[in-house]
């Protein structure tokens, strides 16, 4: 035993050193491509476009089909270079055409035109410089007592972003009854994630570096000297640090709902009642969120902390204003947005209109814009066609569910019920925008974007008040919700509502056109519909019932076959690095849910296609590859590998295609071809 | 006491394995700098890469190397013999060993800080005062965490007289431990984790400092994290009984190892 001690110690030390050294090393291309079907080239970066020419369809479908398109693209990222990017560009062009059409008049479009004047007249914005910001910083300087803090938080005319120490929103309650409640949370923070205030890590330090540069730039221009800025930033951090450490849980508490009396009791001397009254939230009796935080907030809401609170308000106002000021501020925002530690990252400038509509889309005015867009462009025929495809997809899913050999009859019944009760929100939100009382100052009247924000933010919170005091249906689609803008190019499935959202944005050329062939439609937006519907039964959402409540509708034993597919995908993706320096897929970057949904989407689209005589499979598969064609920066790809639960576009194309016999038959594939996958390795669960 | 500490320090740092492995770690700092320089170079990247090197390689290995170096054959027995040879009490022996280890660790971090600054200067990282400050703070807090973790590891060293356990303890709590527990979002679990892992405590302390908040409570916690294992170490050392060493049959050797030399010296001292 004694003889073994020394060698054992040395071996352990050596192995520790080796294992630790290997922690940072990334797997090489050779190591990662042990699984044959990942021998495909990364056909989504410009470096490989020339190489795509020599690739055959049998070995790398994505590269071969998209070579011609890719070779015509320039490294111009004004819009994302992809079908989705093109659709984005078309939506923006449509919005511009709508604003330019002076024959189209109503309150909503009038508001957007005022905002357009304030933003897109760059010379006017530049002439204002940082004056709008200085005006609102001045209001914060006027604060002397804790009562002044209360007055500031409840006076929207002085507080453009309605900054307060408790943020108000509304949200469904997942575990109780699915009804909405007023959701309370900490305010937005300089470092964005509360976790960085507990353990800052390098990502937090990076964020700190970026934000401080922005604050310094703007405050210097507002006449603050370096010492004052430094003092202000430190005071703001100190206050934020104290805020977070009142209760640093990052997890949303969906498990409890409290009454108004309980919440007001918790708030103590924090003027929460004044906040509620300001937004006319007098009848709401359902509150949820960060109660521990609210409970402890009064301990720091006192005269002693007034200066730190003021510093926090100033920092928030400065950061929130950045994109609404002049060209200098915009350039600072863009320059500091580049990740200095990423050698591939570089500044990307989009079109001016892209930013304008993006900024509108971040506010409640998104409702005005979307309502105007609907009024101008909505086509009932398109909605009917989409609805008809959804009906067909549901029929196909019913067949797949019934033929599933892993599920018991009871489970099949529950899954069928979930499918039948699936909510369908197609193109049209449930409510209409109403900004009847809003009067914004135009540029001719000397208005500014920040002045407008005072009213817009007030309208947003007034709307939150209305929502929490109304009875909403399960699939209610709120037009005021920036995350659910119908003009966004996208589609989604909401687990808590068991509802799909198909937005007008995604039904835009080149993803959708009325005259396209059936094959092209099935290969693009119908596959998306199938994809979204399949999320109702994926590994994460199968635990929710037909009403979006958390109850396992299939047993854990039955879940085993889903888990098996998931492991298979993990094994195939893990360690794969698209290009040297990109970083590899790891077990934590779980693309399995989306990979399965992609394959399911194509499966049902194929089933629909089979019903039509003379269905052209080649055109269908090419349609899918065209739909997902993409060229992106290496930095964007690096970020996607690390953070996106969707696989990179060329992997989405190839990995999905090789799941199907029809694909193999269409192109005469055989074992050894890059696009051939042994049937035992397929990932379809339905 | 000073004599004892000196002897402990010199015996440790003169060991070939300590010299070679420590040198390798410092060469690693230089190699890391060159790699960053040739790949993607600016102050923030340099600071981050260096911080990663310190966190994942330097910190866990430095302590492990030290534990390996202070280890003698029949650890406790010879430690006792060494203390008694100086006519000192056992607790003074523990003090001496702990202090010696802390001094070596502290010095290694000072050398590391100087080397990092120097390399940044030589290679032209153009580090701002803020980035430099953050990096130096990181090294200082890591050093404090290393010292606290080392003392706890020393307790295992005395308890088992076998360096593998303390090395695992040290490496885990300086490397994996802090990472695993930092992922726990729940407040109570996080607090418990913070209260037993010096690395985690110092991570929170560092975060506070960077965000202009000095946390006396965390500093107090660190003192406890040092005191408790120290007292445990003291207890173990005090309670150990010195057994008669049974002569072992040895094969004929032409060379004498360092450990045996140390043993011979201490044994001679006892005789004298």
């Amino acid at each position: 035993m004694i003889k073994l001690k020394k060698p054992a110690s040395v071996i352990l030390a050596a192995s520790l050193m080796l294992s630790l050294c290997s922690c940072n090393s990334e797997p090489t291309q050779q190591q990662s491509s042990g699984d044959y079907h990942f021998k495909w080239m990364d056909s989504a970066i410009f470096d490989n476009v020339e190489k795509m020419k020599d690739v055959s369809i049998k070995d790398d479908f994505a590269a071969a089909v998209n070579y011609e398109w890719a070779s015509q693209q320039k490294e111009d990222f004004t819009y994302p270079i992809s079908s989705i990017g093109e659709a984005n560009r078309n939506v923006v062009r449509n919005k511009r055409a709508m604003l330019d059409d002076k024959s189209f008049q109503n309150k909503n479009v009038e508001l957007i035109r005022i905002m357009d004047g304030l933003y897109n007249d760059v010379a006017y914005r530049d002439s204002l410089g940082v004056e709008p910001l200085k005006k609102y910083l001045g209001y914060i300087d006027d604060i002397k007592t804790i009562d002044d803090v209360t007055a500031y938080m409840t006076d929207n005319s002085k507080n453009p972003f309605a900054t307060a120490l408790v943020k108000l929103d509304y949200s469904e309650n997942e575990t109780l009854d699915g009804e909405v409640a007023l959701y309370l949370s900490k305010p937005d923070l300089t470092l964005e994630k509360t976790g960085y205030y507990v353990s800052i890590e390098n990502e937090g330090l990076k964020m700190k570096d970026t934000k401080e540069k922005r604050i310094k730039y703007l405050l210097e221009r507002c006449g603050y000297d370096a010492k004052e800025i430094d003092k202000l930033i430190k005071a703001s951090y100190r206050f934020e640090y104290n805020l977070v450490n009142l209760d640093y849980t990052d997890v949303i508490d969906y498990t409890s709902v409290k009454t108004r009396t309980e919440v007001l009791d918790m708030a103590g001397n924090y003027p929460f009642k004044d906040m509620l009254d300001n937004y006319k939230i007098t009848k709401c009796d359902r509150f949820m969120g960060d109660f521990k935080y609210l409970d402890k907030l009064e301990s720091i809401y006192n005269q002693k902390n007034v200066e730190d609170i003021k510093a926090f308000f100033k920092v928030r106002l400065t950061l929130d204003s950045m994109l609404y000021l002049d060209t200098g501020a915009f350039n600072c925002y863009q320059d500091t947005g580049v990740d200095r530690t990423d050698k591939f990252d570089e500044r990307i400038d989009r079109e001016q209109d892209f930013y304008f509509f993006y900024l509108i889309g971040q506010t409640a005015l998104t409702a005005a814009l979307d309502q105007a867009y609907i009024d101008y462009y909505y086509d009932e025929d398109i909605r009917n066609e989409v609805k008809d495809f959804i009906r067909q997809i549901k029929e196909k899913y019913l067949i797949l569910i019934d033929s599933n050999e892993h599920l018991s009859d009871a489970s099949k019944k529950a899954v069928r019920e979930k499918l039948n009760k699936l909510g369908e929100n197609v193109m049209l939100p449930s409510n209409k925008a109403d900004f009847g009382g809003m009067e914004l100052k135009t540029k001719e009247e000397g208005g500014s974007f920040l002045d407008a924000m005072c009213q817009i933010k007030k309208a947003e919170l007034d709307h939150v008040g209305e929502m929490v005091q109304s009875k909403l249906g399960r699939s209610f689609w709120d037009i005021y919700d920036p995350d659910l803008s119908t003009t966004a190019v996208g589609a989604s499935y909401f687990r808590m509502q068991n509802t799909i959202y198909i937005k007008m944005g995604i039904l835009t050329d080149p993803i959708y056109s009325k005259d396209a062939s059936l094959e092209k439609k099935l290969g693009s937006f119908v596959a998306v519909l199938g994809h979204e519907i399949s999320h109702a039964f994926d590994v994460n959402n199968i635990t929710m019932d037909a009403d979006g409540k958390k109850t396992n509708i299939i047993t854990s034993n039955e879940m085993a076959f889903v888990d098996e597919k998931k492991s298979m995908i993990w094994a195939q993706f893990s360690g794969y690095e698209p290009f040297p320096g990109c970083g590899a897929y790891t077990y934590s970057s779980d693309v399995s849910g989306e990979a399965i949904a992609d394959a399911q989407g194509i499966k049902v689209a194929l089933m629909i296609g089979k019903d039509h005589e003379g269905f052209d499979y080649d055109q269908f598969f090419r349609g899918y590859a065209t739909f997902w064609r993409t060229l992106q920066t290496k930095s964007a790809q690096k970020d996607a590998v690390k953070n996106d639960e969707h696989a990179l576009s060329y992997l989405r194309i190839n990995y999905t295609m090789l799941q199907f016999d029809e694909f193999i038959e269409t192109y005469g594939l055989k074992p050894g071809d890059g696009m051939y996958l042994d049937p035992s390795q397929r990932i379809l669960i339905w | 006491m000073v004599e004892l500490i000196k002897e402990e320090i010199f015996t440790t740092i003169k060991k070939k394995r300590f010299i070679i492995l420590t040198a390798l770690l410092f060469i690693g700092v230089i190699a890391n700098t060159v790699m960053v320089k040739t790949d993607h170079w600016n102050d923030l990247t340099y600071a981050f890469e260096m911080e990663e090197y310190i966190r994942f390689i330097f910190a866990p290995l430095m302590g492990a190397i030290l534990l390996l170096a202070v280890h003698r054959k029949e650890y406790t027995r010879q430690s006792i013999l060494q203390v008694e040879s100086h006519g000192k009490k056992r607790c003074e022996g523990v003090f001496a060993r702990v202090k010696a280890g802390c001094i070596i660790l502290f010095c290694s971090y000072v050398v590391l800080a100087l080397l990092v600054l120097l390399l940044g200067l030589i290679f032209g990282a153009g580090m701002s005062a803020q980035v430099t400050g953050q990096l130096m703070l990181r090294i200082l807090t890591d050093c404090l965490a290393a010292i606290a973790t080392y003392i706890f590891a020393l307790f295992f060293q005395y308890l088992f007289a076998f360096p593998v356990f303390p090395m695992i303890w040290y490496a885990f709590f300086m490397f994996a431990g802090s990472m695993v527990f930092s992922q726990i979002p729940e407040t109570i679990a996080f607090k418990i984790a913070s209260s037993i892992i010096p690395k985690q405590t110092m991570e929170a302390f560092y975060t506070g400092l960077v965000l202009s908040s000095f946390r006396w409570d965390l500093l107090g916690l660190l003192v406890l994290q040092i005191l408790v294992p120290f007292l445990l170490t003291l207890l173990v050392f005090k309670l150990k009984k010195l057994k008669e060493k049974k002569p072992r049959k040895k094969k004929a050797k032409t060379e004498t190892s360092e450990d045996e030399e140390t043993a011979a010296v201490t044994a001679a001292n006892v005789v004298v």
Side-chain angles (χ1 to χ4, degrees):
Chain A
M1 178 64 186
I2 291 166
K3 276 182 187 174
L4 285 174
K5 281 182 183 175
K6 193 171 175 182
S9 303
V10 173
I11 289 166
L12 182 87
S15 57
L16 259 175
M17 187 173 262
L18 281 173
S19 64
L20 290 173
C21 288
S22 65
C23 276
N24 280 347
S25 68
E26 287 155 347
T28 61
Q29 191 76 19
Q30 194 146 14
Q31 283 170 326
S32 63
S33 56
D35 221 309
Y36 63 89
H37 49 263
F38 281 116
K39 283 178 181 169
W40 308 313
M41 72 166 68
D42 181 350
S43 54
I45 52 171
F46 275 94
D47 287 9
N48 289 338
V49 170
E50 271 312 300
K51 293 178 210 157
M52 287 161 72
K53 188 165 61 176
D54 307 318
V55 174
S56 100
I57 273 182
K58 291 186 175 190
D59 289 324
D60 187 340
F61 191 69
V65 171
N66 290 327
Y67 165 68
E68 206 176 311
W69 169 82
S71 62
Q72 289 163 5
Q73 304 304 313
K74 291 181 183 142
E75 285 193 59
D76 168 17
F77 292 99
T78 316
Y79 281 89
I81 306 172
S82 63
S83 297
I84 288 174
E86 285 172 49
N88 249 313
R89 187 197 301 265
N90 289 332
V91 169
V92 169
R93 298 274 151 87
N94 288 345
K95 286 175 178 170
R96 172 53 55 199
M98 175 185 79
L99 291 186
D100 289 346
D101 179 0
K102 301 293 182 218
S103 68
F104 181 56
Q105 294 288 341
N106 60 41
K107 180 72 185 177
N108 292 318
V109 79
E110 182 200 320
L111 290 173
I112 304 298
R113 282 188 185 129
I114 292 173
M115 297 302 281
D116 187 31
L118 293 173
Y119 187 81
N120 275 324
D121 187 343
V122 179
Y124 174 70
R125 260 198 302 139
D126 284 349
S127 72
L128 292 178
V130 293
E131 286 307 313
L133 174 62
K134 273 169 97 170
K135 183 173 101 180
Y136 290 103
L137 284 171
Y139 292 135
I140 301 174
D141 280 329
D142 293 341
I143 295 173
K144 302 284 181 245
T145 65
I146 196 73
D147 291 335
D148 294 342
V149 174
T150 303
Y152 174 80
M153 290 194 299
T154 50
D155 184 352
N156 294 86
S157 67
K158 292 179 178 173
N159 184 359
F161 299 98
T163 305
L165 303 188
V166 177
K167 202 173 160 185
L168 306 178
D169 204 344
Y170 76 96
S171 173
E172 280 104 352
N173 183 282
E174 185 170 350
T175 51
L176 288 176
D177 48 17
E179 291 292 317
V180 295
L182 190 73
Y183 178 65
L184 319 174
S185 60
K186 294 183 187 78
D188 292 338
L189 302 165
T190 308
L191 302 183
E192 295 181 9
K193 288 185 185 173
T194 51
Y196 293 152
Y197 291 82
V198 179
S199 175
I200 192 160
E201 297 172 4
N202 284 347
E203 286 302 312
L205 289 173
K206 219 189 292 177
M207 183 74 76
K208 187 172 175 280
D209 182 65
T210 301
K211 294 294 179 73
E212 284 179 15
K213 279 182 179 149
R214 289 175 181 170
I215 297 164
K216 281 176 187 166
Y217 170 82
L218 277 182
L219 290 183
E220 258 174 35
R221 287 187 61 198
C222 287
Y224 288 72
D225 65 36
K227 224 174 176 178
E228 281 175 312
I229 297 171
D230 193 46
K231 201 176 149 196
L232 202 128
I233 292 174
K234 280 186 177 164
S236 176
Y237 278 138
R238 192 165 50 234
F239 187 68
E240 290 185 4
Y241 186 81
N242 288 336
L243 272 186
V244 172
N245 280 285
L246 289 176
D247 171 42
Y248 46 70
T249 180
D250 227 353
V251 184
I252 299 172
D253 182 9
Y254 282 118
T255 58
S256 64
V257 169
K258 294 201 184 293
T259 64
R260 181 185 170 90
T261 317
E262 286 173 318
V263 169
L264 290 180
D265 272 355
M266 275 182 192
N269 70 355
Y270 179 74
F272 192 56
K273 185 176 178 303
D274 296 348
M275 305 295 305
L276 298 179
D277 290 346
N278 187 42
Y279 301 113
K280 301 178 202 78
I281 308 172
T282 51
K283 290 176 191 157
C284 173
D285 208 26
R286 297 168 53 81
F287 294 80
M288 63 177 191
D290 206 342
F291 295 130
K292 282 184 198 162
Y293 166 73
L294 183 69
D295 196 23
K296 292 176 184 171
L297 189 54
E298 66 174 333
S299 66
I300 57 167
Y301 194 74
N302 51 40
Q303 186 63 36
K304 198 181 100 192
N305 286 324
V306 166
E307 286 308 310
D308 285 2
I309 296 173
K310 280 170 69 177
F312 168 68
F313 286 161
K314 282 188 178 180
V315 164
R316 279 265 42 94
L317 176 64
T318 307
L319 290 171
D320 290 340
S321 304
M322 196 100 202
L323 282 170
Y324 303 119
L325 299 169
D326 60 0
T327 313
F330 176 79
N331 283 334
C332 171
Y333 181 88
Q334 287 288 84
D335 290 337
T336 52
V338 175
D339 182 351
R340 293 204 293 133
T341 62
D342 179 1
K343 66 177 172 180
F344 300 116
D345 202 12
E346 55 193 330
R347 176 174 162 164
I348 288 176
D349 284 310
R350 309 281 194 204
E351 253 183 22
Q352 174 88 1
D353 259 352
F354 176 92
Y355 290 116
F356 170 61
F357 291 118
Y358 167 77
L359 287 177
I360 294 293
Q362 299 301 301
T363 70
L365 268 194
T366 193
L369 180 60
D370 285 0
Q371 188 64 61
Y373 194 90
I374 292 165
D375 294 343
Y376 198 79
Y377 288 109
Y378 175 68
D379 183 340
E380 184 72 18
D381 292 344
I382 298 177
R383 187 163 188 258
N384 288 338
E385 188 181 11
V386 174
K387 285 246 177 199
D388 188 52
F389 274 120
I390 292 174
R391 182 190 54 76
Q392 292 183 58
I393 290 169
K394 280 179 161 181
E395 281 173 14
K396 302 303 175 198
Y397 268 118
L398 283 175
I399 297 169
L400 292 173
I401 291 164
D402 285 340
S403 60
N404 190 294
E405 57 196 26
H406 301 282
L407 297 184
S408 67
D409 288 345
S411 298
K412 282 180 185 172
K413 192 182 162 200
V415 174
R416 271 201 304 270
E417 192 197 343
K418 188 170 186 181
L419 183 66
N420 290 329
K421 277 184 119 175
L422 182 87
E424 296 165 21
N425 279 333
V426 181
M427 297 168 79
L428 296 178
S430 308
N431 52 349
K432 290 197 168 186
D434 177 13
F435 290 93
M438 187 182 281
E439 294 298 331
L440 301 177
K441 263 168 110 178
T442 63
K443 63 175 179 177
E444 288 78 15
E445 294 164 343
S448 73
F449 220 98
L450 284 192
D451 294 339
M453 281 308 295
C454 289
Q455 291 197 56
I456 295 168
K457 200 71 192 173
K458 173 84 167 75
E460 181 187 317
L461 288 162
D462 282 344
H463 177 72
V464 167
E466 277 173 36
M467 289 291 108
V468 292
Q469 294 171 117
S470 320
K471 192 87 183 160
L472 307 177
R474 175 170 58 89
S475 300
F476 188 84
W477 182 357
D478 184 9
I479 194 168
Y480 285 79
D481 188 343
D483 294 335
L484 291 175
S485 168
T486 191
T487 56
V489 181
S492 51
Y493 170 78
F494 264 45
R495 66 201 300 252
M496 281 194 276
Q497 298 178 342
N498 185 29
T499 298
I500 50 165
Y501 286 77
I502 310 300
K503 298 167 184 176
M504 279 176 83
I506 203 166
L507 300 167
T508 307
D509 191 50
I511 299 171
Y512 172 87
S513 77
K514 261 180 162 178
D515 316 324
S517 65
L518 175 72
E519 287 82 355
K520 194 156 186 281
K521 282 179 179 173
L522 290 178
S524 53
F525 84 94
V526 177
V528 173
L529 302 179
H531 171 112
E532 297 307 336
I533 293 173
S534 84
H535 275 312
F537 320 110
D538 73 15
V539 68
N540 300 315
N541 300 326
I542 198 77
T543 52
M544 317 287 280
D545 71 7
D547 296 318
K549 289 179 194 160
K550 205 162 187 170
T551 43
N552 286 338
I553 58 172
I554 68 171
T555 66
S556 51
N557 282 345
E558 289 168 338
M559 279 287 286
F561 82 99
V562 181
D563 291 338
E564 190 191 318
K565 301 289 179 190
K566 194 173 170 175
S567 309
M568 211 182 269
I569 298 167
W570 277 2
Q572 286 159 347
F573 274 80
S574 184
Y576 172 69
E577 188 181 34
F579 62 86
C582 176
Y585 279 102
T586 61
Y587 279 99
S588 58
S589 41
D590 181 8
V591 295
S592 60
E594 295 299 330
I596 291 172
D598 279 342
Q600 290 301 152
I602 285 294
K603 170 100 178 175
V604 286
L606 270 172
M607 287 169 80
I608 295 171
K610 272 184 196 166
D611 292 344
H612 295 81
E613 211 173 306
F615 184 72
D616 186 341
Y617 288 97
D618 176 48
Q619 205 192 339
F620 169 78
F621 291 124
R622 282 174 185 273
Y624 188 73
T626 306
F627 171 54
W628 281 116
R629 66 191 179 190
T630 303
L631 282 167
Q632 54 190 156
T633 63
K634 284 185 173 177
S635 176
Q637 214 170 74
K638 192 175 167 183
D639 186 53
V641 168
K642 200 172 164 192
N643 301 314
D644 196 347
E645 55 192 11
H646 302 88
L648 293 173
S649 58
Y650 70 98
L651 296 173
R652 291 186 85 163
I653 299 168
N654 286 350
Y655 193 61
T656 306
M657 295 292 91
L658 45 71
Q659 308 293 331
F660 299 97
D661 288 335
E662 293 84 347
F663 183 75
I664 290 171
E665 286 157 17
T666 303
Y667 300 104
L669 300 172
K670 54 187 186 308
D673 291 333
M675 289 302 296
Y676 181 86
L677 177 71
D678 190 89
S680 66
Q681 296 294 305
R682 288 181 186 169
I683 58 166
L684 284 158
I685 57 175
W686 301 104
Chain B
M1 174 75 103
V2 177
E3 203 182 316
L4 211 57
I5 296 171
K6 272 185 185 171
E7 188 184 313
E8 186 64 40
I9 290 174
F10 286 112
T11 314
T12 306
I13 62 173
K14 277 180 183 169
K15 294 229 168 188
K16 269 185 200 161
R17 58 178 173 237
F18 179 83
I19 295 168
I20 293 167
L21 292 173
T22 311
L24 276 176
L25 276 186
F26 284 112
I27 290 168
V29 176
I30 299 167
N32 196 37
T33 310
V34 174
M35 275 162 63
V36 181
K37 176 79 181 176
T38 51
D39 187 39
H40 180 57
W41 183 253
N42 59 44
D43 61 337
L44 210 57
T45 311
Y46 175 62
F48 285 3
E49 291 291 335
M50 209 42 89
E51 194 271 330
E52 295 243 308
Y53 178 82
I54 295 167
R55 180 189 293 202
F56 295 122
I57 297 176
F58 187 88
L61 289 183
M62 189 63 224
I65 291 167
L66 183 60
L67 286 164
L68 199 62
V70 296
H71 176 69
R72 318 273 188 275
K73 273 188 179 172
E74 293 181 41
Y75 191 75
T76 312
R77 177 188 171 81
Q78 282 171 17
S79 297
I80 295 168
L81 289 175
Q82 186 193 19
V83 171
E84 287 174 353
S85 72
H86 285 80
K88 305 280 179 188
K89 289 178 184 168
R90 284 188 184 187
C91 63
E92 285 178 306
V94 176
F95 265 114
R97 177 146 292 182
V98 168
K99 277 187 186 172
C102 294
I103 289 168
I104 294 169
L105 267 180
F106 183 75
C107 289
S108 67
Y109 274 90
V110 169
V111 173
L112 173 73
L114 291 174
L115 189 63
V116 167
L117 282 178
L118 200 67
L119 289 170
L121 210 65
I122 292 169
F123 285 87
M127 285 160 84
S128 64
Q130 187 175 337
V131 173
T132 310
Q134 283 169 3
L135 187 57
M136 290 302 113
L137 261 183
R138 170 70 79 187
I139 292 175
L140 176 70
T141 49
D142 267 10
C143 174
L144 292 175
I147 286 172
T149 314
Y150 170 75
I151 297 172
F152 217 147
L154 215 53
F155 160 70
F156 284 101
Q157 185 105 315
Y158 278 116
L159 197 64
F160 300 110
F162 184 44
V164 171
F165 299 114
M167 280 168 70
I168 290 173
W169 172 269
Y170 185 90
F172 180 74
F173 282 100
M174 281 302 286
F175 170 57
S178 63
M179 287 181 72
V180 170
F181 287 106
S182 70
Q183 304 302 317
I184 302 172
E186 290 302 323
T187 311
I188 295 168
F190 191 85
K191 279 186 174 168
I192 293 169
S194 301
S195 64
I196 55 167
I197 304 171
K199 180 81 178 88
Q200 195 60 56
T201 309
M202 284 295 97
E203 186 71 36
F205 185 68
Y206 167 76
T207 302
L209 287 178
V210 169
L211 299 176
S212 316
S213 304
F214 191 90
R215 293 280 300 271
W216 285 104
D217 55 336
L218 293 175
L219 209 57
L221 191 59
L222 180 78
V223 172
L224 276 181
Q225 286 165 344
I226 290 173
L227 271 180
V228 171
F230 176 71
L231 291 174
L232 285 173
T233 311
L234 209 63
L235 196 69
V236 170
F237 195 61
K238 217 161 179 187
L239 293 179
K240 281 273 175 181
K241 285 179 183 168
L242 192 59
K243 290 174 188 168
E244 276 301 311
K245 195 180 171 187
K246 288 176 188 172
R248 278 193 289 146
K249 282 183 183 175
K250 281 186 181 179
K251 285 178 186 175
K253 276 187 179 177
T254 51
E255 283 180 328
T256 316
S257 76
E258 284 177 82
D259 292 334
E260 281 158 350
E261 275 174 17
T262 317
V265 170
T266 47
N269 284 337
V270 175
V271 174
V272 171

